[in-house]
Amino acid sequence: MNQYQNLSKMMRLSDEGWRAAETRRLIDLSVTHGEGPYMLHGDKQFINMCSCSYLGWDRHPSILEGAIKGVRTAGTLHLTTARCRLALDLLSRFEARLTDHFGVTAIAYNACATASNACLPILACGGFSAGRKPVMVFDKFASFEFRVGDVSGSRAGVSPAQRTLEAL
């Protein structure tokens, strides 16, 4: 561990920035949902511009009802085991329905970080397509980590003019 990184040095160098953010009440906030897109922290109202829910589905009534039904059906929130070892049958059935609906192999994740750090690099390098690197396309509202240039070596050479569904 720490053979190729120095986490303790990184923590020491970043501590000042974290302390400044904490002093200015920019981190470690306990919040509730307000009306519409607003969050509440005490008497302050703000919009969370760091959310992975860029479509706002985490608060949509139909999504909430579906999630409640899913938790009751599964009898748990999730398995505390790596997904490569065990996955709830409910998730497998969901992916199968997405696969049938879209006519592609669908893989569902519950967080952008998991998708962007685990699945997308493997997809982008051709790991799911016998080494053939796909063109990776994300809409302008996608989470920021999906929109930052080349994703782990996906095929280069797609100009901005070609970034339409018709051109792709």
Side-chain angles (χ1 to χ4, degrees):
M1 178 108 42
N2 276 325
Q3 184 176 356
Y4 299 104
Q5 65 182 5
N6 189 338
L7 189 55
S8 59
K9 180 179 180 181
M10 183 174 60
M11 290 173 61
R12 190 174 59 254
L13 293 173
S14 65
D15 189 60
E16 182 181 342
W18 285 107
R19 297 285 171 235
E22 185 178 38
T23 300
R24 290 172 179 84
R25 311 268 315 146
L26 298 173
I27 61 171
D28 199 23
L29 303 179
S30 181
V31 301
T32 58
H33 280 287
E35 291 296 317
Y38 295 101
M39 305 294 296
L40 302 172
H41 176 67
D43 62 347
K44 304 240 189 277
Q45 177 175 281
F46 63 95
I47 296 176
N48 178 8
M49 301 300 286
C50 304
S51 174
C52 291
S53 180
Y54 67 96
L55 296 176
W57 287 1
D58 60 342
R59 298 199 61 213
H60 190 280
S62 297
I63 301 294
L64 292 174
E65 283 303 315
I68 291 166
K69 182 180 176 186
V71 167
R72 287 190 175 129
T73 299
T76 184
L77 290 173
H78 66 95
L79 297 175
T80 56
T81 305
R83 182 170 171 198
C84 62
R85 293 177 183 262
L86 300 171
L88 288 171
D89 178 64
L90 186 63
L91 179 62
S92 299
R93 287 186 282 133
F94 174 64
E95 289 175 337
R97 289 183 73 181
L98 288 174
T99 294
D100 289 344
H101 180 77
F102 290 108
V104 298
T105 300
I107 303 170
Y109 286 93
N110 66 347
C112 288
T114 309
S116 63
N117 292 321
C119 183
L120 289 181
I122 296 170
L123 174 66
C125 78
F128 296 134
S129 54
R132 187 178 150 271
K133 294 180 179 182
V135 173
M136 306 291 287
V137 180
F138 303 99
D139 72 32
K140 66 181 180 180
F141 299 110
S143 188
F144 74 94
E145 66 260 32
F146 301 152
R147 295 183 284 128
V148 290
D150 186 34
V151 179
S152 297
S154 61
R155 285 194 316 200
V158 179
S159 71
Q162 296 172 305
R163 292 181 184 156
T164 65
L165 287 177
E166 294 79 23
L168 294 171

